Amino acid sequence: MLLPAAFAALMASPAFGQDLTLEEAIRRALTSAPQSASVAAQVDSFKANRAAADLPPRPSLEIATENFGPPSDSLYDQFQITGTYSQQIERGGKRQARVTLADRQIDVALAQAVVRRLEIISDVQLAYVEVQSAEAAIGVARERLAIAQSVSKEVDRRVASARDPIFAGTRARASVAEAEVDLELAVHARDAALVRLSQWWGGNADGLIVPIGRFLDLAPVAGPNEPSPLITAIYQARGAQADAAIAVRQADSVRDVTLSGGPRFIGTGDVGFVFGVSVPLGGRRLAEARVAEAQAERQRVDAEREVEMFNLRRAITLAAERVEEARHEADAIQTQVLPLAEKVLSEVRVGYQRGFFSFADLAAAQTASVDAAMRTVDAAREYHEAKVELDRLTGRFSNLAEEASQ
């Protein structure tokens, strides 16, 4: 019978090879992903920026000369050299505000990196599902070949006894040849899918086995499903960065004081000392405008977060519906269509042996039975592909994404 035999073969794994779990495939891909080096370089750049932000203003040294010209008896006309050392004194917590902003930039970069890892995980999952469905198709193709070969023997017996025309045997042998070609193509598709999967970590597909024992274990979606904290963490990090930018603008609005002092050498041989204090004037409106700009940016981040949360919840709902739709289709085929198709094939084969049905009836029943099994595989693939998107949105493999960032 097709139902138990086909799916027993479908669930079987090759005798030799290395089982590759989905989690192991994801770990390999994340370890080899070039994005890790890119993220590390970006974080190093922000850390260097943080180190620069933690430095105080540089002092300045100025040397000025006055009263060039011929000597004079007047003290005010004497040649003078003045050396001045100036240091800007930051006020309003500017330095700490800059450091905090740099820290928040690092947080945003790290949060974005984790989300990119979730996208890599989704791509690896899709490649893994492709291999599983291709392996399942091999099981169905093998069972189709077994049925075609069995039917061919029955037809040959009837042709030999002159109960069927010769062309019936030819058609039966053609069905066997077609089934052999389909099996060969199914094996080739599985091997190609394995190569595409292994390319995620630059490995070799030889000897890799993707187990499919749970490929048809289509569990209902357990709710409620909420957006992945790793995705929402980006907007939290961006909000914190916007707050830090506001603090920087507010600190910049506080006027700094520059202190300066140094010796003055006079042509008469006398030495004096000069001291000065400078405070910038004006700029209040510009400072207020920049603070308002930073506050508007914070509001924009909040608005984008609300839009993204709305879109995320909507996408989760749609993904869950797709999962349930595919699961319902696969379940209906397995419990309703497949048993009937198998029963029809069995009855037609018995009737054919007794001369009640033609070879065309037998071929149609055979095709319907195999097509029902393949429809189950296709529905299972749709289920798992829809589940990939749901897993990404809800953060099923968040632990692996965070593990790769350590």
Side-chain angles (χ1 to χ4, degrees):
M1 296 176 63
L2 178 63
L3 180 59
F7 289 109
L10 185 154
M11 298 304 174
S13 296
F16 301 100
Q18 175 189 0
D19 280 355
L20 178 68
T21 65
L22 175 58
E23 289 75 10
E24 177 60 24
I26 291 173
R27 287 191 175 93
R28 291 186 184 187
L30 291 178
T31 301
S32 304
Q35 287 86 347
S36 299
S38 174
V39 171
Q42 185 181 22
V43 171
D44 288 342
S45 173
F46 283 129
K47 287 182 178 179
N49 180 57
R50 184 194 186 283
D54 197 24
L55 297 175
R58 292 182 300 173
S60 63
L61 180 63
E62 179 183 0
I63 298 178
T65 59
E66 299 179 48
N67 298 335
F68 282 97
S72 172
D73 293 336
S74 172
L75 176 63
Y76 298 103
D77 293 334
Q78 294 294 320
F79 178 75
Q80 299 179 14
I81 300 177
T82 304
T84 306
Y85 177 88
S86 300
Q87 175 65 61
Q88 181 181 355
I89 307 300
E90 288 188 316
R91 301 171 61 235
K94 292 183 176 63
R95 183 174 175 182
Q96 183 57 47
R98 291 195 305 268
V99 171
T100 301
L101 177 58
D103 286 336
R104 300 295 81 80
Q105 289 173 335
I106 294 174
D107 293 341
V108 171
L110 293 175
Q112 290 175 334
V114 172
V115 171
R116 283 197 291 269
R117 291 190 187 98
L118 290 178
E119 294 172 353
I120 293 175
I121 290 173
S122 295
D123 291 336
V124 174
Q125 279 184 271
L126 288 174
Y128 194 88
V129 169
E130 182 185 13
V131 176
Q132 286 185 312
S133 62
E135 192 71 58
I138 291 176
V140 176
R142 285 173 178 162
E143 185 61 21
R144 177 188 180 186
L145 177 59
I147 294 175
Q149 290 171 338
S150 176
V151 169
S152 180
K153 291 178 181 179
E154 295 174 5
V155 173
D156 286 342
R157 285 195 296 267
R158 289 180 59 86
V159 171
S161 62
R163 299 171 63 186
D164 272 347
I166 294 176
F167 78 86
T170 304
R171 290 178 59 184
R173 288 190 294 275
S175 296
V176 172
E178 184 180 0
E180 289 174 343
V181 171
D182 287 345
L183 176 57
E184 180 182 350
L185 293 176
V187 171
H188 182 272
R190 187 273 317 277
D191 293 342
L194 273 173
V195 170
R196 286 191 289 271
L197 175 62
S198 63
Q199 285 176 345
W200 277 101
W201 55 86
N204 194 324
D206 294 342
L208 283 183
I209 298 174
V210 172
I212 58 172
R214 300 181 63 85
F215 183 69
L216 295 180
D217 184 10
L218 310 182
V221 176
N225 292 297
E226 290 296 325
S228 169
L230 298 185
I231 297 178
T232 58
I234 287 185
Y235 292 92
Q236 294 174 355
R238 288 176 179 171
Q241 178 182 345
D243 289 337
I246 293 175
V248 168
R249 293 304 188 187
Q250 290 174 336
D252 288 341
S253 66
V254 179
R255 298 171 183 175
D256 296 333
V257 175
T258 301
L259 303 179
S260 60
R264 172 171 291 180
F265 301 93
I266 305 176
T268 60
D270 297 321
V271 178
F273 184 81
V274 295
F275 175 79
V277 177
S278 65
V279 178
L281 300 177
R284 181 176 61 85
R285 291 184 178 179
L286 178 60
E288 291 176 349
R290 287 178 174 174
V291 171
E293 179 185 9
Q295 291 172 339
E297 176 65 16
R298 181 65 168 96
Q299 293 175 353
R300 185 186 68 81
V301 171
D302 289 339
E304 285 188 353
R305 180 181 182 277
E306 292 301 318
V307 171
E308 183 63 19
M309 292 298 295
F310 174 81
N311 290 335
L312 278 174
R313 290 192 171 94
R314 179 175 176 273
I316 288 174
T317 300
L318 294 177
E321 289 178 355
R322 282 187 57 207
V323 171
E324 280 300 301
E325 182 180 356
R327 187 191 68 82
H328 178 73
E329 179 183 359
D331 182 68
I333 295 172
Q334 289 187 77
T335 59
Q336 301 176 37
V337 179
L338 263 174
L340 290 177
E342 178 57 35
K343 183 178 180 181
V344 169
L345 177 60
S346 177
E347 292 175 348
V348 171
R349 289 182 69 173
V350 172
Y352 177 75
Q353 293 171 356
R354 297 179 180 179
F356 298 143
F357 297 106
S358 66
F359 176 75
D361 296 327
L362 181 59
Q366 175 186 348
T367 301
S369 184
V370 173
D371 288 348
M374 201 60 217
R375 279 189 63 190
T376 303
V377 173
D378 292 339
R381 176 172 182 168
E382 291 179 7
Y383 169 89
H384 289 292
E385 288 179 344
K387 192 72 165 51
V388 168
E389 179 65 7
L390 184 62
D391 289 344
R392 183 185 71 85
L393 296 173
T394 57
R396 174 187 171 190
F397 293 103
S398 296
N399 60 322
L400 297 181
E402 292 179 316
E403 176 185 306
S405 64
Q406 297 175 356

mmCIF file of all heavy atoms in Angstrom, residues 31 38 40 49 55 64 107 145 174 190 196 204 213 217 221 261 264 281 309 313 321 324 332-333 340 396:
data_model
loop_
_atom_site.group_PDB
_atom_site.id
_atom_site.type_symbol
_atom_site.label_atom_id
_atom_site.label_comp_id
_atom_site.label_asym_id
_atom_site.label_seq_id
_atom_site.Cartn_x
_atom_site.Cartn_y
_atom_site.Cartn_z
ATOM 1 N N THR A 31 28.747 30.961 12.318
ATOM 2 C CA THR A 31 30.186 31.003 12.585
ATOM 3 C C THR A 31 30.956 31.457 11.348
ATOM 4 O O THR A 31 31.958 32.182 11.462
ATOM 5 C CB THR A 31 30.686 29.622 13.036
ATOM 6 O OG1 THR A 31 29.985 29.232 14.217
ATOM 7 C CG2 THR A 31 32.176 29.657 13.328
ATOM 8 N N SER A 38 32.278 42.117 9.597
ATOM 9 C CA SER A 38 31.808 43.471 9.313
ATOM 10 C C SER A 38 31.287 44.142 10.578
ATOM 11 O O SER A 38 31.576 45.313 10.844
ATOM 12 C CB SER A 38 30.705 43.420 8.251
ATOM 13 O OG SER A 38 30.137 44.695 8.052
ATOM 14 N N ALA A 40 32.099 43.363 13.669
ATOM 15 C CA ALA A 40 33.227 43.599 14.575
ATOM 16 C C ALA A 40 33.977 44.871 14.188
ATOM 17 O O ALA A 40 34.367 45.667 15.057
ATOM 18 C CB ALA A 40 34.169 42.398 14.551
ATOM 19 N N ASN A 49 35.548 55.853 18.376
ATOM 20 C CA ASN A 49 34.823 57.116 18.489
ATOM 21 C C ASN A 49 34.503 57.436 19.939
ATOM 22 O O ASN A 49 34.567 58.601 20.375
ATOM 23 C CB ASN A 49 33.542 57.041 17.671
ATOM 24 C CG ASN A 49 32.737 58.331 17.745
ATOM 25 O OD1 ASN A 49 33.223 59.400 17.413
ATOM 26 N ND2 ASN A 49 31.497 58.232 18.202
ATOM 27 N N LEU A 55 37.785 62.296 25.523
ATOM 28 C CA LEU A 55 38.947 63.179 25.700
ATOM 29 C C LEU A 55 38.487 64.617 25.936
ATOM 30 O O LEU A 55 37.512 65.071 25.336
ATOM 31 C CB LEU A 55 39.841 63.124 24.461
ATOM 32 C CG LEU A 55 40.481 61.760 24.147
ATOM 33 C CD1 LEU A 55 41.235 61.839 22.836
ATOM 34 C CD2 LEU A 55 41.396 61.331 25.287
ATOM 35 N N ALA A 64 52.715 85.801 20.813
ATOM 36 C CA ALA A 64 52.461 87.055 20.090
ATOM 37 C C ALA A 64 53.584 88.038 20.361
ATOM 38 O O ALA A 64 54.152 88.083 21.465
ATOM 39 C CB ALA A 64 51.131 87.654 20.524
ATOM 40 N N ASP A 107 25.401 50.176 21.003
ATOM 41 C CA ASP A 107 24.238 49.324 21.287
ATOM 42 C C ASP A 107 23.376 49.131 20.046
ATOM 43 O O ASP A 107 22.883 48.024 19.788
ATOM 44 C CB ASP A 107 23.402 49.945 22.414
ATOM 45 C CG ASP A 107 24.128 49.941 23.753
ATOM 46 O OD1 ASP A 107 25.085 49.158 23.907
ATOM 47 O OD2 ASP A 107 23.732 50.719 24.639
ATOM 48 N N LEU A 145 8.086 4.102 -8.238
ATOM 49 C CA LEU A 145 8.796 3.127 -9.070
ATOM 50 C C LEU A 145 8.424 1.707 -8.678
ATOM 51 O O LEU A 145 8.216 0.847 -9.558
ATOM 52 C CB LEU A 145 10.302 3.340 -8.942
ATOM 53 C CG LEU A 145 11.190 2.350 -9.685
ATOM 54 C CD1 LEU A 145 10.889 2.374 -11.182
ATOM 55 C CD2 LEU A 145 12.670 2.651 -9.420
ATOM 56 N N ALA A 174 6.873 1.828 -20.162
ATOM 57 C CA ALA A 174 7.130 3.273 -20.262
ATOM 58 C C ALA A 174 6.895 3.963 -18.923
ATOM 59 O O ALA A 174 7.628 4.883 -18.535
ATOM 60 C CB ALA A 174 6.243 3.889 -21.339
ATOM 61 N N ARG A 190 17.811 16.574 -4.540
ATOM 62 C CA ARG A 190 18.238 16.509 -3.142
ATOM 63 C C ARG A 190 19.721 16.834 -2.994
ATOM 64 O O ARG A 190 20.129 17.595 -2.103
ATOM 65 C CB ARG A 190 17.947 15.111 -2.599
ATOM 66 C CG ARG A 190 18.189 14.909 -1.087
ATOM 67 C CD ARG A 190 19.627 14.519 -0.739
ATOM 68 N NE ARG A 190 20.183 13.528 -1.626
ATOM 69 C CZ ARG A 190 19.987 12.210 -1.503
ATOM 70 N NH1 ARG A 190 19.251 11.733 -0.525
ATOM 71 N NH2 ARG A 190 20.566 11.365 -2.368
ATOM 72 N N ARG A 196 23.615 23.565 -1.816
ATOM 73 C CA ARG A 196 23.220 24.951 -1.500
ATOM 74 C C ARG A 196 23.210 25.179 0.001
ATOM 75 O O ARG A 196 23.583 26.263 0.476
ATOM 76 C CB ARG A 196 21.852 25.253 -2.108
ATOM 77 C CG ARG A 196 21.876 25.435 -3.622
ATOM 78 C CD ARG A 196 20.564 25.982 -4.138
ATOM 79 N NE ARG A 196 19.501 24.996 -4.052
ATOM 80 C CZ ARG A 196 19.208 24.120 -5.009
ATOM 81 N NH1 ARG A 196 19.934 24.100 -6.123
ATOM 82 N NH2 ARG A 196 18.210 23.263 -4.874
ATOM 83 N N ASN A 204 31.485 20.985 2.656
ATOM 84 C CA ASN A 204 31.280 19.966 1.624
ATOM 85 C C ASN A 204 30.013 19.203 1.948
ATOM 86 O O ASN A 204 29.801 18.797 3.099
ATOM 87 C CB ASN A 204 32.496 19.022 1.583
ATOM 88 C CG ASN A 204 32.499 18.181 0.325
ATOM 89 O OD1 ASN A 204 31.450 17.774 -0.167
ATOM 90 N ND2 ASN A 204 33.691 17.912 -0.199
ATOM 91 N N GLY A 213 12.712 12.696 9.861
ATOM 92 C CA GLY A 213 11.776 11.915 10.654
ATOM 93 C C GLY A 213 10.589 12.706 11.156
ATOM 94 O O GLY A 213 9.507 12.159 11.382
ATOM 95 N N ASP A 217 5.527 15.907 10.876
ATOM 96 C CA ASP A 217 4.971 16.177 12.202
ATOM 97 C C ASP A 217 4.594 17.659 12.241
ATOM 98 O O ASP A 217 5.375 18.509 12.677
ATOM 99 C CB ASP A 217 5.997 15.840 13.281
ATOM 100 C CG ASP A 217 5.428 16.011 14.682
ATOM 101 O OD1 ASP A 217 4.204 16.203 14.802
ATOM 102 O OD2 ASP A 217 6.210 15.959 15.652
ATOM 103 N N VAL A 221 -0.017 25.852 15.507
ATOM 104 C CA VAL A 221 0.682 27.029 16.023
ATOM 105 C C VAL A 221 0.203 27.311 17.439
ATOM 106 O O VAL A 221 -1.002 27.445 17.689
ATOM 107 C CB VAL A 221 0.435 28.252 15.124
ATOM 108 C CG1 VAL A 221 1.081 29.494 15.725
ATOM 109 C CG2 VAL A 221 0.978 27.987 13.727
ATOM 110 N N GLY A 261 46.506 82.238 30.133
ATOM 111 C CA GLY A 261 47.498 82.967 30.912
ATOM 112 C C GLY A 261 48.894 82.644 30.428
ATOM 113 O O GLY A 261 49.122 81.621 29.772
ATOM 114 N N ARG A 264 54.817 87.694 29.797
ATOM 115 C CA ARG A 264 55.059 88.710 28.772
ATOM 116 C C ARG A 264 56.462 89.277 29.008
ATOM 117 O O ARG A 264 56.768 89.776 30.098
ATOM 118 C CB ARG A 264 54.029 89.816 28.848
ATOM 119 C CG ARG A 264 54.338 91.013 27.939
ATOM 120 C CD ARG A 264 53.196 91.985 27.873
ATOM 121 N NE ARG A 264 52.051 91.403 27.146
ATOM 122 C CZ ARG A 264 50.920 92.056 26.943
ATOM 123 N NH1 ARG A 264 50.767 93.285 27.436
ATOM 124 N NH2 ARG A 264 49.945 91.496 26.285
ATOM 125 N N LEU A 281 29.477 84.635 23.271
ATOM 126 C CA LEU A 281 28.243 85.393 23.393
ATOM 127 C C LEU A 281 27.232 84.920 22.353
ATOM 128 O O LEU A 281 27.595 84.442 21.269
ATOM 129 C CB LEU A 281 28.524 86.896 23.201
ATOM 130 C CG LEU A 281 29.505 87.521 24.201
ATOM 131 C CD1 LEU A 281 29.754 88.980 23.843
ATOM 132 C CD2 LEU A 281 28.985 87.389 25.622
ATOM 133 N N MET A 309 5.969 47.939 15.120
ATOM 134 C CA MET A 309 5.267 46.983 15.984
ATOM 135 C C MET A 309 3.928 46.581 15.363
ATOM 136 O O MET A 309 3.541 45.410 15.408
ATOM 137 C CB MET A 309 5.055 47.588 17.370
ATOM 138 C CG MET A 309 6.341 47.776 18.158
ATOM 139 S SD MET A 309 7.200 46.222 18.478
ATOM 140 C CE MET A 309 6.026 45.405 19.542
ATOM 141 N N ARG A 313 3.211 42.667 14.246
ATOM 142 C CA ARG A 313 2.067 41.874 14.734
ATOM 143 C C ARG A 313 1.188 41.418 13.565
ATOM 144 O O ARG A 313 0.667 40.295 13.573
ATOM 145 C CB ARG A 313 1.269 42.683 15.739
ATOM 146 C CG ARG A 313 2.003 42.898 17.053
ATOM 147 C CD ARG A 313 1.081 43.440 18.138
ATOM 148 N NE ARG A 313 1.753 43.428 19.428
ATOM 149 C CZ ARG A 313 2.417 44.449 19.936
ATOM 150 N NH1 ARG A 313 2.506 45.577 19.245
ATOM 151 N NH2 ARG A 313 2.994 44.360 21.114
ATOM 152 N N GLU A 321 -1.359 32.267 10.056
ATOM 153 C CA GLU A 321 -2.454 31.774 9.223
ATOM 154 C C GLU A 321 -1.932 30.890 8.092
ATOM 155 O O GLU A 321 -2.535 29.870 7.758
ATOM 156 C CB GLU A 321 -3.240 32.958 8.656
ATOM 157 C CG GLU A 321 -4.061 33.701 9.715
ATOM 158 C CD GLU A 321 -4.782 34.906 9.132
ATOM 159 O OE1 GLU A 321 -4.548 35.201 7.935
ATOM 160 O OE2 GLU A 321 -5.556 35.542 9.863
ATOM 161 N N GLU A 324 -1.076 27.497 9.577
ATOM 162 C CA GLU A 324 -2.269 26.704 9.857
ATOM 163 C C GLU A 324 -2.944 26.222 8.572
ATOM 164 O O GLU A 324 -3.464 25.100 8.510
ATOM 165 C CB GLU A 324 -3.253 27.527 10.695
ATOM 166 C CG GLU A 324 -2.910 27.570 12.173
ATOM 167 C CD GLU A 324 -2.891 26.171 12.772
ATOM 168 O OE1 GLU A 324 -3.908 25.467 12.720
ATOM 169 O OE2 GLU A 324 -1.831 25.763 13.272
ATOM 170 N N ALA A 332 -5.543 17.108 5.940
ATOM 171 C CA ALA A 332 -6.706 16.636 5.180
ATOM 172 C C ALA A 332 -6.289 15.615 4.128
ATOM 173 O O ALA A 332 -6.976 14.600 3.919
ATOM 174 C CB ALA A 332 -7.407 17.823 4.529
ATOM 175 N N ILE A 333 -5.167 15.864 3.475
ATOM 176 C CA ILE A 333 -4.703 14.916 2.453
ATOM 177 C C ILE A 333 -4.329 13.577 3.089
ATOM 178 O O ILE A 333 -4.684 12.504 2.578
ATOM 179 C CB ILE A 333 -3.517 15.503 1.678
ATOM 180 C CG1 ILE A 333 -3.964 16.735 0.888
ATOM 181 C CG2 ILE A 333 -2.935 14.471 0.721
ATOM 182 C CD1 ILE A 333 -2.823 17.490 0.250
ATOM 183 N N LEU A 340 -8.230 7.092 0.698
ATOM 184 C CA LEU A 340 -9.154 6.766 -0.386
ATOM 185 C C LEU A 340 -8.409 6.459 -1.677
ATOM 186 O O LEU A 340 -8.774 5.520 -2.411
ATOM 187 C CB LEU A 340 -10.129 7.930 -0.601
ATOM 188 C CG LEU A 340 -11.161 8.150 0.519
ATOM 189 C CD1 LEU A 340 -12.007 9.377 0.228
ATOM 190 C CD2 LEU A 340 -12.049 6.921 0.680
ATOM 191 N N ARG A 396 12.311 32.452 17.438
ATOM 192 C CA ARG A 396 12.465 31.082 17.922
ATOM 193 C C ARG A 396 13.937 30.741 18.177
ATOM 194 O O ARG A 396 14.273 30.079 19.165
ATOM 195 C CB ARG A 396 11.886 30.108 16.894
ATOM 196 C CG ARG A 396 12.136 28.639 17.237
ATOM 197 C CD ARG A 396 11.696 27.718 16.127
ATOM 198 N NE ARG A 396 12.098 26.358 16.341
ATOM 199 C CZ ARG A 396 12.010 25.390 15.447
ATOM 200 N NH1 ARG A 396 11.515 25.666 14.247
ATOM 201 N NH2 ARG A 396 12.410 24.168 15.717
#
